[in-house]
Amino acid sequence: PEPIYKAMASTYHYRLPYPLPLTAAPPASASRCRFPMASTAPLGVTVSTSESVGQNDLLIVGPGVLGRIVAEKWRQEHPDCKIYGQTATTDHHSELTKIGIIPSLKGPRVDQKVPYVIFCAPPYRTDDYPGDLRINLNSKRNRWMGHALFAGTAHGHTNLTAFFGGVAASNWSGEGSFLFTSSTAVYDCNDNGFCGEDSPCVPIGMSPRTDVLLKAENVVLEAGGCALRLAGLYKKDQGPHVFWLSKGTVDARPDLIISMIHYEDAASLGIAIMKRRLRGRVFVGCDNQPLSRQEIMDRVNRSGKFDGKFEGFTGTDGPLGKRMDNSKTRAEIGWEPKYPSFTEFLGLSN
């Protein structure tokens, strides 16, 4: 999931982002993450019917930091493909055009669809998020049509994952692959315990933020897409360490465990999953080297790569985190991260 930085003094929120089984047949625990559908009207994005669709063409919903890395890596493997980028506004369309992404806004659904779609939109701040979001999914491959009704906000931030997830899927041809990047926040663990791909999810009704993610996942999975639940995304200039360093002292407990994954690794894992052209599966993206808040900032101070010095965490209360493990995902996809840990990313020894 992009981190929601506001109100991070006590809790670090993961992006879907940006949140069922890894096995071919869902285990009983998967039922906790599946929900009834509500009939609605169609929405979609615009892809020009005057253009032919290539077998490797890609639509990126939310071409921000993660989406642009996905685009760069995808083009390296498919230099002749067309890459579309769907955004909420036109603010960054000129930037996208310069790097070879064809930008568009959400718009009317059209008959022409693309074979590969990845959703990796970050949370957006807005005051007019509609409470009820109508989503219509139409898979050209199996002609299955499903509907869902979503509503939810978290800490004053609007979560557009459900909306854009459904809109993007309405433009998937049913060929290739559709991948929804969710968040490991959906796992029901806040005691620094271990979680894997098949661990239980937060029950619906317990959290508006996880409700939105799980319902969005459900729509995607029912349509034949896959979900990639990402741990906390980071790079040198983005992530919880940057926020905490800017504060110097943070009123939060130091022992909360955070699972992480570098943006480049999240992108490479997403692409590896899409290339497998799997259907209705859930995977996890993390580096398998979780650290506490204190351990993260100790490494930042020790690395010498950042200006300033973090002084410390002063809190003693609040929930703990989770230790994510994605060994099943790695074995299934045949993937390993470029950065095995935050520690090694900083050039330090474990």
Side-chain angles (χ1 to χ4, degrees):
E2 309 280 353
I4 301 174
Y5 291 117
K6 186 166 178 146
M8 283 180 59
S10 60
T11 304
Y12 175 62
H13 299 282
Y14 305 100
R15 81 170 274 286
L16 307 166
Y18 170 276
L20 293 167
L22 191 66
T23 54
S29 62
S31 63
R32 306 176 194 180
C33 300
R34 302 230 174 214
F35 312 100
M37 302 289 139
S39 179
T40 61
L43 291 172
V45 300
T46 301
V47 176
S48 174
T49 55
S50 64
E51 300 177 3
S52 61
V53 176
Q55 63 180 358
N56 295 311
D57 286 359
L58 172 69
L59 168 64
I60 301 173
V61 183
V65 176
L66 179 58
R68 295 182 193 197
I69 297 174
V70 169
E72 179 183 2
K73 292 181 178 294
W74 187 264
R75 193 175 298 282
Q76 289 173 357
E77 297 191 28
H78 308 289
D80 297 326
C81 75
K82 292 187 291 294
I83 299 178
Y84 301 92
Q86 182 201 334
T87 63
T89 72
T90 60
D91 293 350
H92 301 287
H93 280 196
S94 60
E95 299 173 21
L96 297 175
T97 301
K98 289 178 182 178
I99 59 176
I101 297 175
I102 303 168
S104 67
L105 292 171
K106 64 181 185 292
R109 187 178 62 183
V110 295
D111 293 333
Q112 194 166 21
K113 303 172 187 289
V114 295
Y116 291 93
V117 179
I118 183 170
F119 165 84
C120 46
Y124 288 91
R125 183 189 297 274
T126 179
D127 295 327
D128 59 357
Y129 178 74
D132 296 337
L133 298 174
R134 294 190 175 105
I135 298 173
N136 180 291
L137 295 169
N138 182 5
S139 172
K140 181 177 180 182
R141 185 169 186 173
N142 57 22
R143 307 309 299 173
W144 182 91
M145 186 171 287
H147 310 272
L149 185 66
F150 296 125
T153 59
H155 298 283
H157 281 72
T158 298
N159 194 326
L160 298 186
T161 57
F163 174 64
F164 279 116
V167 168
S170 72
N171 284 269
W172 178 42
S173 68
E175 303 166 354
S177 182
F178 174 80
L179 183 65
F180 175 81
T181 59
S182 186
S183 169
T184 56
V186 301
Y187 287 110
D188 191 14
C189 177
N190 57 7
D191 60 0
N192 282 354
F194 286 91
C195 286
E197 288 86 350
D198 299 335
S199 295
C201 295
V202 176
I204 282 294
M206 294 294 291
S207 165
R209 186 167 66 98
T210 55
D211 282 1
V212 169
L213 289 170
L214 289 169
K215 290 176 181 179
E217 282 187 4
N218 186 64
V219 172
V220 170
L221 295 168
E222 292 290 349
C226 294
L228 172 58
R229 293 171 176 168
L230 293 172
L233 288 161
Y234 77 90
K235 56 192 186 79
K236 183 180 180 182
D237 61 351
Q238 195 163 344
H241 62 291
V242 176
F243 174 81
W244 295 329
L245 186 61
S246 71
K247 296 298 181 182
T249 301
V250 176
D251 183 18
R253 59 186 303 169
D255 55 342
L256 179 145
I257 293 293
I258 294 177
S259 296
M260 306 174 75
I261 185 170
H262 193 280
Y263 274 98
E264 288 189 36
D265 290 326
S268 70
L269 176 56
I271 289 173
I273 292 170
M274 288 196 292
K275 288 167 63 176
R276 293 292 302 276
R277 302 176 66 159
L278 300 169
R279 296 290 181 266
R281 307 286 290 282
V282 172
F283 301 95
V284 166
C286 61
D287 62 15
N288 284 355
Q289 297 292 329
L291 297 170
S292 70
R293 284 178 173 140
Q294 188 64 57
E295 289 171 330
I296 290 172
M297 297 314 293
D298 285 347
R299 285 156 174 74
V300 166
N301 285 343
R302 186 156 54 96
S303 71
K305 297 180 181 293
F306 299 88
D307 295 332
K309 181 181 179 181
F310 182 71
E311 297 300 329
F313 297 98
T314 60
T316 57
D317 299 323
L320 296 171
K322 60 196 66 148
R323 301 174 187 270
M324 294 305 309
D325 181 277
N326 68 342
S327 296
K328 288 187 176 182
T329 292
R330 297 186 187 203
E332 170 88 6
I333 303 301
W335 171 88
E336 291 291 335
K338 175 181 178 181
Y339 300 106
S341 68
F342 182 71
T343 306
E344 292 175 74
F345 167 72
L346 293 177
L348 302 174
S349 171
N350 279 324

